[in-house]
Amino acid sequence: MENEVLNNKWSAYDSAGKKYEAHFRGASGYINTLPDSWKVGLIEMGDRNMPNPYQFRIEGLSQIPKELTLVREVVNKRYTDPDWSVLME
């Protein structure tokens, strides 16, 4: 992943297109990052050998489908335009 793993919204879709809410648990870490910037490297989502392996909990999914698609939405966006404005009424 190229940006932080926090402030995400995850969804899962089965092969029929049904949408499920997905939540993650577990540990993640950084690989090949610079001391002052995590953006240069990668974010590793853990493995089974870690004390808290990364996993997804998918609400309402009663059986494992043949195909499952995970979709990640970043909900904590940063705007870098100093001249932005919002109309408040």
Side-chain angles (χ1 to χ4, degrees):
M1 290 189 287
E2 294 181 354
N3 50 16
E4 293 184 68
V5 295
L6 303 175
N7 304 308
N8 298 309
K9 182 178 178 184
W10 289 90
S11 300
Y13 294 85
D14 63 16
S15 54
K18 184 174 179 183
K19 181 179 178 179
Y20 302 89
E21 276 192 49
H23 305 280
F24 68 89
R25 292 186 181 187
S28 59
Y30 300 110
I31 303 171
N32 299 325
T33 58
L34 295 178
D36 59 344
S37 177
W38 56 265
K39 294 181 180 181
V40 174
L42 299 172
I43 297 173
E44 180 181 43
M45 295 173 71
D47 62 28
R48 293 176 190 258
N49 297 322
M50 295 180 77
N52 297 310
Y54 209 87
Q55 57 183 276
F56 287 93
R57 304 277 174 106
I58 302 172
E59 295 178 21
L61 188 65
S62 57
Q63 55 185 314
I64 299 172
K66 185 174 183 177
E67 183 177 309
L68 187 69
T69 302
L70 285 170
V71 175
R72 176 179 175 245
E73 177 184 350
V74 179
V75 296
N76 185 22
K77 297 178 174 71
R78 181 180 296 167
Y79 298 95
T80 57
D81 180 2
D83 296 321
W84 70 275
S85 63
V86 176
L87 178 63
M88 300 185 76
E89 296 180 16

